[in-house]
Amino acid sequence: QVQLVQSGAEVKKPGASVKVSCKASGYTFTGYYMHWVRQAPGQGLEWMGWINPNSGGTNYAQKFQGRVTMTRDTSISTAYMELSRLRSDDTAVYYCASSLDIAVAGLDYWGQGTLVTVSS
Amino acid sequence: QTVVTQEPSLTVSPGGTVTLTCASSTGAVTSGYYPNWFQQKPGQAPRALIYSTSNKHSWTPARFSGSLLGGKAALTLSGVQPEDEAEYYCLLYYGGTWVFGGGTKLTVL
């Protein structure tokens, strides 16, 4: 069965960077896009961007351009999302979610989420 | 900046029918926005329900259906169950990027 397992909770200071991982199993990792979505406490979902694990190509939401980097390691079926220059309002649960293609198939499977807390 | 708008909250009686909508600040929502719908319960990750306007995932209960209605994407729940009480989010595609709606809190009462 398809599973996306994310890394554990992180606590970071303002100005630092955080790198969250998402390990995929149960399907061909390079055959699906991986999206990253975040949710601040008590708030809604916010789409951050996607990576094509096959080509390494990425597309980021304008809000995060310059601060976010999405990468992958196909040898271990793992996608990564690194967010730099952290601020307190980056405190959120970060999710990875897969999609078969860039648009039509939608986001289907989701990771369990990783809580990132930014605090001095 | 593109804004996707949903009803903040709705209330429905058990066994009833309710329709949630999703509007785009850019104009009418069409099939080319590939609307997705997700359900999220407290403390859980979102669960995908609908993709490309009206297509269900293999795990989506039959009582959930998606459509386009009056220039918006719509999610209809027929024969609502108590376990359907949750937050519902739509997601629209804008030529390479995606934008979530603010969510609708559905209360079953």
Side-chain angles (χ1 to χ4, degrees):
Chain A
Q1 74 284 18
V2 174
Q3 274 196 301
L4 301 177
V5 179
Q6 299 183 222
S7 49
E10 303 260 14
V11 179
K12 296 291 183 181
K13 293 194 182 303
S17 298
V18 68
K19 191 170 186 177
V20 179
S21 68
C22 172
K23 183 171 177 59
S25 61
Y27 71 96
T28 302
F29 177 66
T30 52
Y32 284 70
Y33 287 71
M34 193 70 78
H35 301 253
W36 289 90
V37 174
R38 76 177 187 179
Q39 185 170 37
Q43 303 300 309
L45 301 173
E46 183 173 29
W47 182 82
M48 300 180 68
W50 56 250
I51 181 169
N52 179 339
N54 188 42
S55 66
T58 56
N59 195 6
Y60 305 139
Q62 189 171 8
K63 174 177 179 177
F64 299 102
Q65 288 195 15
R67 273 209 312 145
V68 71
T69 304
M70 296 178 188
T71 57
R72 89 295 189 211
D73 185 338
T74 58
S75 68
I76 55 172
S77 299
T78 300
Y80 302 92
M81 186 285 300
E82 184 171 20
L83 190 61
S84 63
R85 304 193 299 278
L86 289 168
R87 307 184 293 254
S88 58
D89 62 358
D90 291 318
T91 294
V93 176
Y94 290 77
Y95 295 101
C96 57
S98 64
S99 69
L100 180 60
D101 57 39
I102 197 172
V104 177
L107 281 63
D108 45 21
Y109 296 94
W110 290 66
Q112 83 277 18
T114 296
L115 175 63
V116 175
T117 303
V118 182
S119 174
S120 54
Chain B
Q1 181 183 338
T2 302
V3 177
V4 177
T5 302
Q6 299 181 242
E7 298 87 359
S9 64
L10 291 170
T11 300
V12 62
S13 300
T17 297
V18 65
T19 296
L20 290 62
T21 68
C22 175
S24 172
S25 63
T26 61
V29 176
T30 65
S31 59
Y33 286 80
Y34 303 104
N36 281 228
W37 290 93
F38 302 89
Q39 177 191 67
Q40 188 180 35
K41 297 182 178 180
Q44 296 183 16
R47 181 175 75 137
L49 295 174
I50 300 288
Y51 64 97
S52 284
T53 304
S54 58
N55 293 280
K56 299 179 187 182
H57 293 280
S58 59
W59 53 81
T60 303
R63 61 184 180 275
F64 291 87
S65 63
S67 64
L68 296 176
L69 201 62
K72 300 178 183 181
L75 176 71
T76 299
L77 288 71
S78 305
V80 172
Q81 302 296 308
E83 61 264 30
D84 296 334
E85 182 162 296
E87 192 85 21
Y88 290 84
Y89 292 93
C90 68
L91 177 65
L92 300 181
Y93 179 72
Y94 293 88
T97 62
W98 294 85
V99 180
F100 279 98
T104 295
K105 181 174 174 55
L106 182 66
T107 300
V108 181
L109 206 56

